[in-house]
Amino acid sequence: MRIFKFGGASVKDAAGVKNLVKVLQHKGYTDTLVVVSAMGKMTNAFEKVIKAYIEKDKNLDTQIAQIKKYHTQIIGDLFTDRNHPILFEIEHIFGLLKGFMLANRSTNYNFIYDQLVGFGEMLSTKIISNYLNEIGVDNQWLDVRQVIVTSDDYRDAKVDWDETKYRISNAITKGQLYITQGFLGATKDNFTTTLGREGSDYTAAIFAYSLNAADVTIWKDVQGVLNADPREFKDTKLLNQISYKEAIEMAFYGASVIHPKTLKPLENSSIPLYVRSFIDLKLEGTQVKKGEDVVPLVPCFVVKKEQIYLQISALDFSFMVEHNIGNLFQLLDRYKLKVNLIQNSALSFRVCLEDKYTNFEAFIEEIRTHYRVEYSENVTLFTIRHFTEEAVNEVEKDKEIVLKQISESTIQLIVK
Ligand code: ADP
Ligand code: ASP
Ligand code: MG
């Protein structure tokens, strides 16, 4: 079994869907499971719909209509039959969306988010699966929520590995092509959950692990894993091969090319991961597998924006040691603040964090009663793996450095 993952950028329009077919035809598609994200920027569009629904914004219907128009346009470009059953399937999906909105009584934002945001993946996979069948590429559409079982930590659901593995192995038969949704799972009670933004890569790894797949390929709009994000840096270099450990470090520090949770399940079963271009199929891309850290060995840059730099000291005479730090970490965990760097001295605890779930204000309010707190929002965290003096100079040029931390192969800089 091989697992392919196509992200939103690869299926943003009809041409993208046709290109997906080209990739399948080029690589062969028996014993293949294809994980697909929502088309283009549809997850962002659904996030806006969710906000409008919760805030009872009058633009809600217009926003839903725009999403519908976007998908019907793609369907119009792909299918010649103006009464093709896909149109009824799409109507049905929008019916379910409206049905949930009318029936819902919950005020839990994360729960509502997960019940609605996944419609993006439902729409994309329905369109792609129907199109493939239409042109003779026979496939099965699989509802991922039937097989990936998770906790009810909405927007950050944890996988129940045993149950998931059991269900996946039972659902998949040999010799077939499957099309399924990335990003989603469901609780045992059948409520939809999500694995975190950009989580479709992780879905691919969950299937690979559960099926002991031969390999996973993530098809991208870049050549492979580069030594920096090409949107942020000029003259980036392709990394031909990296180890799981290196990929985990890069993804964890924020290289958005692979979702950080993707790598552990693959490493555990030694399943190779290929990151390749969906534009130029001749390029070999990057192999992530056991072996050397990085080939070629060059400095790798990771940029994380919209970070918060926080300095905390005690209001009483105590030092910032075990007791206080233990207490702070419990709170950071409770408020789901992601810690990307820490530095500590006797009197002050400094931390660089990310407020993915908009909890920072509540967190600060709680700690202010016990600690003196100072913070700067909107700082940037640069991480350089395998750094050289030249690489550090390049990052430091023209910037105000707030904090610098060096370890064996990694340097991190917080800059304003
Ligand atoms: P997908 O639609 O498949 O999820 P994304 O747009 O999320 O794709 O990810 C691909 C983008 O990741 C690239 O276009 C690139 O700008 C960015 N990126 C960030 N860091 C890297 C890196 N180290 N190597 C390659 N691409 C990177
Ligand atoms: N569609 C989801 C997102 O945009 C998941 C993914 O693309 O990986 O976050
Ligand atoms: Mg993505």
Side-chain angles (χ1 to χ4, degrees), residues 43 54 75 89 111 115 166 174 195 227 231 262 266 302 312 341 349 383:
T43 303
I54 289 175
I75 293 170
E89 294 201 45
F111 170 78
Q115 305 322 301
Y166 174 76
K174 275 199 122 341
L195 306 168
N227 72 325
R231 291 172 298 196
T262 310
L266 301 182
V302 185
I312 303 170
L341 179 153
F349 173 70
T383 303

Side-chain angles (χ1 to χ4, degrees), residues 48-61 63 101 104-107 112:
K48 291 206 181 97
V49 163
I50 293 159
K51 189 163 178 280
Y53 167 67
I54 289 175
E55 291 173 359
K56 300 192 170 51
D57 186 326
K58 59 177 179 353
N59 291 321
L60 174 65
D61 287 339
Q63 287 178 359
M101 287 181 166
N104 172 58
R105 293 288 169 265
S106 169
T107 53
I112 297 171

Side-chain angles (χ1 to χ4, degrees), residues 59-214:
N59 291 321
L60 174 65
D61 287 339
T62 320
Q63 287 178 359
I64 297 175
Q66 277 166 357
I67 292 182
K68 195 165 177 183
K69 191 169 160 216
Y70 175 87
H71 289 97
T72 7
Q73 168 80 42
I74 295 177
I75 293 170
D77 293 343
L78 288 172
F79 298 83
T80 43
D81 179 357
R82 292 290 162 249
N83 286 312
H84 193 280
I86 182 62
L87 290 164
F88 301 99
E89 294 201 45
I90 296 300
E91 273 310 320
H92 177 67
I93 293 176
F94 280 97
L96 293 174
L97 173 95
K98 295 228 165 108
F100 172 82
M101 287 181 166
L102 287 172
N104 172 58
R105 293 288 169 265
S106 169
T107 53
N108 177 345
Y109 176 79
N110 292 344
F111 170 78
I112 297 171
Y113 180 101
D114 277 7
Q115 305 322 301
L116 292 173
V117 78
F119 280 105
E121 270 71 13
M122 289 295 148
L123 291 163
S124 69
T125 52
K126 277 286 180 192
I127 295 172
I128 290 166
S129 171
N130 271 273
Y131 179 65
L132 288 168
N133 279 329
E134 180 77 11
I135 59 164
V137 179
D138 291 345
N139 71 93
Q140 314 276 335
W141 180 86
L142 174 70
D143 186 340
V144 79
R145 299 168 304 175
Q146 304 289 327
V147 291
I148 295 187
V149 181
T150 72
S151 66
D152 62 0
D153 297 292
Y154 295 105
R155 293 181 73 200
D156 188 24
K158 311 287 181 297
V159 175
D160 177 339
W161 285 99
D162 290 342
E163 182 64 21
T164 296
K165 191 171 178 181
Y166 174 76
R167 291 198 193 184
I168 288 180
S169 350
N170 281 329
I172 303 296
T173 43
K174 275 199 122 341
Q176 308 263 2
L177 168 65
Y178 290 91
I179 306 294
T180 198
Q181 307 79 42
F183 184 41
L184 311 179
T187 62
K188 281 223 165 90
D189 305 325
N190 294 319
F191 288 109
T192 307
T193 54
T194 62
L195 306 168
R197 283 300 308 260
E198 303 292 329
S200 296
D201 296 347
Y202 184 38
T203 307
I206 295 168
F207 276 100
Y209 175 82
S210 302
L211 294 165
N212 199 15

Side-chain angles (χ1 to χ4, degrees), residues 348-373:
S348 130
F349 173 70
R350 281 167 255 185
V351 59
C352 179
L353 40 89
E354 214 170 301
D355 185 20
K356 275 200 204 164
Y357 302 96
T358 348
N359 292 331
F360 184 67
E361 264 179 43
F363 165 78
I364 286 292
E365 203 152 300
E366 176 154 0
I367 64 168
R368 267 198 206 286
T369 48
H370 295 96
Y371 300 98
R372 180 173 301 114
V373 182

Side-chain angles (χ1 to χ4, degrees), residues 225 247 249-260 301-304:
V225 180
E249 295 286 3
M250 279 181 68
F252 182 78
Y253 288 126
S256 58
V257 66
I258 311 174
H259 189 279
F301 302 81
V302 185
V303 185
K304 257 186 190 269

